[in-house]
Amino acid sequence: MVTSRPPLLSIRSCCLALVLAWSWVLLASAVARAEVVPLVTLDAAPGGTSLVGRIGYLEDVQGSMSIADIRNTSLDDRFAVPSSVVQQSGLDAHARWFKVRLHQAGSNGNWLIDSSNSILQHFSVYGPYDVNGTALAPPRLGDLAVPSAQPALDGDRAMYRFHLAQPGEYTLYLRAVSDLPQYYQWSVWDAVQFGQAEQGLSMYNGICYGLLLGMLIYNLMLLAVFREPLYGYHFLACLFAIVTIAALNGHLGRYLLADARAWVPTVVLAAPPLWIAFAALFCRSFLELPRYAPRLARSLLAFMPLCGLAVLLALLGPTRWALVLTQALSLATPVVMFAAAGVALQRGFRPAGWYLAALAVLFFAAAGVALNNFRVLDLPWHYDGLQFGLVVEITVLVVAMGSRIHLVRKLNGELGQKAEQLARDAQTDPLTGLSNRSGWTQHGRRLLETSTQAAVLLIDLDHFKPVNDQCGHAAGDKVLATVGQRLQSVLGGRDLAARLGGDEFAVLLGDTPDRAALQALVQRMIHLVAQPVPFDGKQLKVGCSIGIARFPSDGRDLSVLMHAADQAMYFVKKHGRGDSAFNEDTTPATLAAA
C-alpha cells in the first residue's frame, strides 16, 4: 500500500505564512506603542470632544508604578494609542494609566475630563503639566475605601475639573484601578457645556428613577389589593434593579452610601443575581408556568440556588466567580423565560405576548452588556443601554400586567357566572323550570322575612297516576311541565312556585290579597290546571287539590305554614278533590262551629 504524504512545500508555506503574520502583528503593535499621543485642541463644543483614538494608554500589571515612573522619558514611548474604547473585561485590578495632551488656544479656560466610569477603587489625576514639566495643580487622589476621598473627583463618574490660565500645550495623567468590568471612554469638555449636558442627563435619570419608583408603588398597591405573590416578586425585582442602576450610575456611592463607598462594588455584584432571581420568580407566577409549562417552571426554580451562590460569592469572595456566574445567569435565565413565554402564548395565555416584548428589550440590553464584558462585542454603549432597556421593559410590563388583570377578571367573571348557574341548577327542577325543594326552602324563607302578609299554597294533582300508567312517563312529564307553566303564569314578581317532587307543587304568595281575592286566585289556578294537555294526539286531563295557609295567622315559619297547608290540602282530598280549603277552616274548632 502506498501512503500519500502532504507536499512538503505546502507545510513550509503555511509555517512561513504564520511566522510572517505573527511578525506583522508584533510590528503593528510596536508601531502602535511607539506612536506619539496626539495633541487635542481644547474646544467648547456642545457635545464635548471625544478622546477615543487620541489618548495614551499604559497598563501597569503590578500596580507599582508612580507618577515619576510614568513621566520618565524611557516609558513615554510605551503608551499605546488605542483606536477604540479601552475596555477592562476581567477582574484583574491592574492599574491603568492614561496620558492626555491638550492644547489651549485662548486664556482662562475652565475644562473637565470625564469618563463613563462610576465605580473605580482608585482614580487619581496628576497635572496638568506645562511644557516645562511643571505641575499646575496638586495631584487629586480618589479611593473608595477612604470615606473622605472623592472617588469621582467632583462628580458621580470619573471626572476631573481643571483651569488653564494661559495658551499653550499641557499634559495630564489619569490613573484608574478597578476590579469590575469597565469602559474607559474619556472626553474633554468645556465646564459650562458639560453642566448643560448634565442637566439633560439628570432629567433622563430622573425619568428612569421615577418610572422605577412608580413601578414599586404600583406593585405594592396590586399586592395589597390582589394578595398574589407575583406582585411581591416584581416589587423585589424592581427594587434590586434600581439598586443596580443607581450603583452603576454612581448615585448609590455618592448619595446613599456616601460614608460606606467601599461597599459599592459588593452591592454591584450582589444586586444583579437578586434581580435575576426575583425576575425569574415573577416570570413563573405571571405566566402561570406550573399550569402551562411545568418543566420550564421547574427549570426557573433550579436557577435560584445559583443566584444565591452568586450573592454569597459577592459577599464573601472570590468576586471574579461572582461576576462570571452572574453574567452567565443573565444570559441563561432569559432564554428559559423566552421559551416559557412562548409556550404560554401558544397555549392561549395572551398576556405572554406583552411579556415577551418586555423581556426582549431587557434581554438584548443585558446581553449586550455581558457580551461587551466578555469582549465578544464592541458596542459604543454599555450600562446606559441596560438602564434604557430596563425602563422600556418596565413600561411594557405595566401593559402586560394590565392585560393579565383584565384576563383574570374576565375569567373570574365567567367562573362566577358558571357558579351562579350551577347554584341555580342545584335549586331548579329540570322538568318544569320551577324551584325544587332546596330552592323552595332557601328562597321561601328569605321571602317570608320581607313579607307582612303571605300565603303558602300546597298543590297536589288529582288523577295523575292514570296518565302515567296508561300513556307513559313522557305523557306524565308533559303534564307536569304544562302545570308548572300554568301556575307560573298567574304569579307576580314576589311570588315563588316550586315542584316539591312527584306531582306535588307549592306556591308562596309574597303579597297576599284579602281572603276573597286570594280565593279567586286559587280558583283560577284550579281552572287552569284542569284544562286539557295535548300530547301525541290525545287530550290529557288532571285536576288539583289546594291547601292554603296564611302568614302570620297560621304560622311564622315556612315549615309550620307548609304543615298547615298540607293539612288543608288533605282535607280537600278527603272531601272530594278538585277544590281548595283554608287551614283556618279545617281546624276541629272551626269544623265544630260549622
Side-chain angles (χ1 to χ4, degrees):
M1 179 185 298
V2 179
T3 303
S4 60
R5 294 186 300 173
L8 185 59
L9 182 59
S10 299
I11 296 177
R12 290 177 176 174
S13 299
C14 292
C15 293
L16 180 61
L18 289 174
V19 170
L20 290 175
W22 181 247
S23 301
W24 174 258
V25 170
L26 294 178
L27 178 61
S29 176
V31 170
R33 289 187 179 278
E35 185 179 354
V36 176
V37 177
L39 189 64
V40 178
T41 299
L42 293 171
D43 182 15
T49 301
S50 174
L51 297 180
V52 175
R54 307 164 75 180
I55 191 170
Y57 169 65
L58 175 64
E59 185 171 348
D60 178 9
V61 176
Q62 301 299 324
S64 59
M65 292 183 179
S66 65
I67 183 62
D69 297 329
I70 291 298
R71 295 188 65 219
N72 190 302
T73 55
S74 63
L75 289 178
D76 196 55
D77 291 342
R78 292 178 57 186
F79 277 94
V81 182
S83 60
S84 60
V85 175
V86 176
Q87 182 177 344
Q88 176 184 349
S89 60
L91 305 177
D92 52 35
H94 296 171
R96 287 168 169 80
W97 288 87
F98 299 89
K99 179 180 179 180
V100 185
R101 297 181 64 228
L102 303 172
H103 173 259
Q104 177 174 270
S107 60
N108 292 321
N110 292 302
W111 308 98
L112 180 144
I113 287 185
D114 170 56
S115 177
S116 57
N117 310 90
S118 60
I119 309 172
L120 297 175
Q121 270 69 22
H122 307 278
F123 175 58
S124 304
V125 181
Y126 300 89
Y129 296 92
D130 61 17
V131 291
N132 298 319
T134 303
L136 304 181
R140 296 291 303 274
L141 308 178
D143 194 326
L144 271 180
V146 181
S148 60
Q150 292 181 305
L153 299 183
D154 304 327
D156 300 329
R157 303 184 305 278
M159 61 179 64
Y160 175 62
R161 303 172 189 270
F162 59 97
H163 172 71
L164 299 178
Q166 300 293 333
E169 296 182 8
Y170 303 89
T171 305
L172 286 109
Y173 295 92
L174 314 171
R175 182 180 186 270
V177 179
S178 176
D179 59 3
L180 293 175
Q182 298 288 350
Y183 302 82
Y184 299 97
Q185 190 171 357
W186 301 98
S187 300
V188 60
W189 291 75
D190 173 75
V192 175
Q193 294 293 343
F194 180 81
Q196 294 176 353
E198 280 293 284
Q199 291 180 358
L201 181 60
S202 297
M203 180 178 295
Y204 170 72
N205 286 328
I207 293 174
C208 293
Y209 288 136
L211 285 171
L212 293 171
L213 291 174
M215 199 61 176
L216 289 180
I217 299 172
Y218 177 64
N219 279 285
L220 285 178
M221 293 175 60
L222 293 178
L223 180 62
V225 172
F226 296 104
R227 306 287 182 177
E228 289 190 73
L230 74 97
Y231 301 114
Y233 296 147
H234 200 242
F235 170 83
L236 292 172
C238 290
L239 177 63
F240 288 113
I242 292 176
V243 172
T244 301
I245 295 301
L248 295 176
N249 283 341
H251 301 142
L252 184 68
R254 186 176 187 187
Y255 301 110
L256 299 181
L257 296 178
D259 296 328
R261 288 192 296 259
W263 280 93
V264 174
T266 302
V267 174
V268 170
L269 290 173
L274 291 171
W275 176 9
I276 293 170
F278 287 109
L281 292 174
F282 169 73
C283 171
R284 187 175 184 271
S285 297
F286 178 85
L287 298 176
E288 300 180 17
L289 295 186
R291 173 185 175 188
Y292 291 107
R295 291 185 178 179
L296 293 174
R298 291 192 294 270
S299 298
L300 285 178
L301 288 180
F303 286 118
M304 298 303 104
L306 296 176
C307 292
L309 178 60
V311 174
L312 189 63
L313 291 174
L315 296 175
L316 304 178
T319 56
R320 171 186 294 274
W321 290 110
L323 178 66
V324 171
L325 182 55
T326 299
Q327 291 179 334
L329 286 169
S330 70
L331 295 174
T333 308
V335 171
V336 178
M337 293 179 179
F338 270 117
V343 172
L345 183 62
Q346 184 181 18
R347 296 181 178 176
F349 189 70
R350 296 185 64 183
W354 288 107
Y355 181 85
L356 271 173
L359 183 63
V361 175
L362 184 59
F363 171 76
F364 286 117
V369 171
L371 293 176
N372 258 11
N373 290 343
F374 283 123
R375 291 186 179 273
V376 176
L377 298 178
D378 185 15
L379 300 176
W381 49 266
H382 35 94
Y383 298 121
D384 293 337
L386 181 63
Q387 179 171 328
F388 176 77
L390 176 63
V391 170
V392 175
E393 185 226 20
I394 291 296
T395 305
V396 179
L397 276 182
V398 170
V399 181
M401 287 196 283
S403 175
R404 183 183 183 276
I405 292 172
H406 174 73
L407 177 62
V408 169
R409 291 186 61 184
K410 180 180 178 182
L411 292 176
N412 287 342
E414 293 175 354
L415 290 175
Q417 292 176 356
K418 290 180 180 179
E420 291 176 1
Q421 183 62 44
L422 289 174
R424 287 193 297 269
D425 292 344
Q427 298 175 358
T428 302
D429 176 55
L431 180 61
T432 62
L434 305 180
S435 294
N436 58 17
R437 185 174 290 275
S438 174
W440 165 263
T441 301
Q442 181 175 348
H443 297 298
R445 288 175 177 171
R446 190 160 55 241
L447 186 57
L448 282 179
E449 292 174 356
T450 59
S451 299
T452 56
Q453 296 288 330
V456 171
L457 313 180
L458 201 60
I459 305 168
D460 189 77
L461 298 186
D462 300 327
H463 314 296
F464 178 72
K465 189 174 184 302
V467 173
N468 258 347
D469 294 343
Q470 297 173 14
C471 302
H473 290 287
D477 291 345
K478 175 67 174 178
V479 170
L480 293 173
T482 303
V483 169
Q485 293 172 1
R486 291 174 180 176
L487 292 176
Q488 188 68 46
S489 67
V490 299
L491 300 181
R494 279 180 48 82
D495 301 333
L496 176 67
R499 179 190 173 209
L500 302 182
D503 60 349
E504 187 177 24
F505 293 82
V507 171
L508 175 58
L509 302 174
D511 296 315
T512 308
D514 57 33
R515 180 182 173 105
L518 178 57
Q519 182 68 52
L521 177 61
V522 170
Q523 289 302 317
R524 185 181 176 192
M525 290 181 181
I526 294 173
H527 175 73
L528 286 174
V529 172
Q531 297 300 311
V533 177
F535 176 78
D536 199 17
K538 300 176 183 179
Q539 297 295 320
L540 308 178
K541 290 186 178 182
V542 296
C544 68
S545 300
I546 302 178
I548 308 169
R550 293 197 289 176
F551 170 86
S553 58
D554 292 324
R556 293 181 174 274
D557 185 75
L558 183 63
S559 60
V560 174
L561 291 170
M562 288 184 66
H563 180 69
D566 186 62
Q567 285 185 326
M569 186 266 291
Y570 274 103
F571 178 84
V572 175
K573 288 278 191 180
K574 184 178 179 180
H575 292 82
R577 304 185 179 185
D579 203 350
S580 65
F582 285 85
N583 176 66
E584 61 195 53
D585 297 335
T586 63
T587 61
T590 304
L591 292 173

